[in-house]
Amino acid sequence: MNNINNVAIFFGGNSTERNISIKSGYCVFKCLLKKNINVFPVDVKYFCLNDFLKIKIDKVFIALHGKIGENGTIQGFLEFLKIPYTGSGVFTSSLCINKYNTKRFLNNFKVNILPDFFINKKYISKNKFLKLYKKILLKLNIPFVIKPNTCGSSIGLSVIYNFDNFRNYFIKNNIIFDDFILEKYICGDEYTVSILNNKVLCPINIKFKNKIFSFDYKYNNNNVIFSKNIKDNIKNRLISISKKIWNILNCKGCVRIDYIVDKLENIWFLEINTIPGIANNSLVTICSKYSNISYSKLILSILNN
């Protein structure tokens, strides 16, 4: 175990992804217990520094999804305390949490990114909805996809077909999220690629009936098919592009990268998740299963890297 005996699992927190993080943390907790590791679950929402410092922690396993866990805050805090942790470092985390900035960065390295539009909520007022909508149409046309810029788990992901959709979306979500990224809608197949300690796992194709792989489909719908039967041409390029992105962004531990492939087989980068869901039925877990990697081996590989 590389002298890793006492492990704290950071999970929960108070982001919109709290419930998903609790599921991840619980699964990691059960797995490490079975390996006779001393495990200390820490729900960051109720974090107490004095209690935490009383424990001799060899490493922190970060299963904390959402802003505080993925934007470099927790990573910087643990580096200040000189406590090792799983996953990518401060810079990579702070960049990748921001979908818009990540796309700008990767565009410099000739990674295909969809045409997009950035909106910060402080620039939105009711009397400017129509003006903003017309400006977006000039760049993205209809329909287009909208999602919170710094949120995962497909929370707040939606397809906009008309002005009423657009206005109602912001009336509902403008209080919850700070900014949004809008992208050209592409009719194609969605793929996800997980990378574990610099090794690309088996890419999977995600098939579903809905227009987009929304939160409800991701976590509450059984009508989703995951397939590893992918054309060699597409599979090899997904692996190559994912390795390139991993290296460019200086990733560590385990990450998941999402793509869409259009009808002409062009591969478009969607986003990267530096602390992906790691529960028994998460996409990373499915990728590892298709790569003949057991759940316990997956968790231990993340921990010991």
Side-chain angles (χ1 to χ4, degrees), residues 108-231:
N108 294 319
F109 297 89
K110 298 181 180 179
V111 173
N112 283 345
I113 63 170
L114 294 170
D116 57 19
F117 197 100
F118 176 81
I119 297 177
N120 185 288
K121 73 174 184 180
K122 69 181 180 181
Y123 296 115
I124 300 173
S125 59
K126 293 181 180 179
N127 61 340
K128 291 182 180 180
F129 270 135
L130 184 57
K131 182 178 179 181
L132 179 61
Y133 180 73
K134 290 179 178 178
K135 189 175 181 181
I136 293 166
L137 292 189
L138 291 175
K139 187 172 185 181
L140 303 182
N141 211 331
I142 284 289
F144 58 83
V145 176
I146 186 168
K147 52 190 174 182
N149 188 44
T150 58
C151 183
S153 299
S154 297
I155 294 173
L157 179 65
S158 186
V159 178
I160 303 299
Y161 297 94
N162 52 52
F163 175 68
D164 286 340
N165 287 163
F166 179 72
R167 180 183 56 197
N168 291 337
Y169 178 90
F170 277 104
I171 291 173
K172 177 181 178 181
N173 293 288
N174 206 25
I175 299 174
I176 305 172
F177 306 107
D178 293 329
D179 46 44
F180 305 84
I181 181 171
L182 293 67
E183 294 176 321
K184 181 179 178 64
Y185 176 81
I186 295 291
C187 184
D189 291 331
E190 291 213 25
Y191 294 82
T192 192
V193 180
S194 298
I195 308 178
L196 176 63
N197 302 335
N198 203 31
K199 178 184 178 182
V200 180
L201 304 184
C202 179
I204 57 175
N205 175 215
I206 306 169
K207 299 180 182 293
F208 48 91
K209 294 181 179 179
N210 200 14
K211 280 282 187 181
I212 52 173
F213 195 39
S214 63
F215 177 85
D216 287 338
Y217 258 73
K218 184 174 286 187
Y219 296 104
N220 302 319
N221 198 302
N222 294 323
N223 297 320
V224 179
I225 299 174
F226 302 107
S227 174
K228 63 178 181 179
N229 297 320
I230 303 171
K231 291 171 62 175

Side-chain angles (χ1 to χ4, degrees), residues 249-287:
L249 297 175
N250 192 30
C251 297
K252 294 179 181 178
C254 183
V255 305
R256 198 192 76 243
I257 309 174
D258 299 330
Y259 304 92
I260 190 163
V261 179
D262 63 28
K263 293 179 179 179
L264 298 177
E265 298 188 351
N266 296 304
I267 297 176
W268 300 92
F269 168 85
L270 293 178
E271 59 186 74
I272 182 170
N273 193 329
T274 55
I275 307 290
I278 203 74
N280 290 325
N281 60 347
S282 297
L283 292 174
V284 165
T285 310
I286 295 170
C287 289

Side-chain angles (χ1 to χ4, degrees), residues 6-39:
N6 298 328
V7 175
I9 302 174
F10 279 14
F11 70 99
N14 56 6
S15 78
T16 53
E17 298 175 70
R18 172 175 172 79
N19 290 338
I20 307 302
S21 177
I22 290 173
K23 291 180 180 178
S24 291
Y26 178 67
C27 290
V28 174
F29 176 73
K30 287 199 302 181
C31 176
L32 295 182
L33 274 184
K34 291 178 181 178
K35 298 299 178 181
N36 296 317
I37 296 174
N38 298 320
V39 190

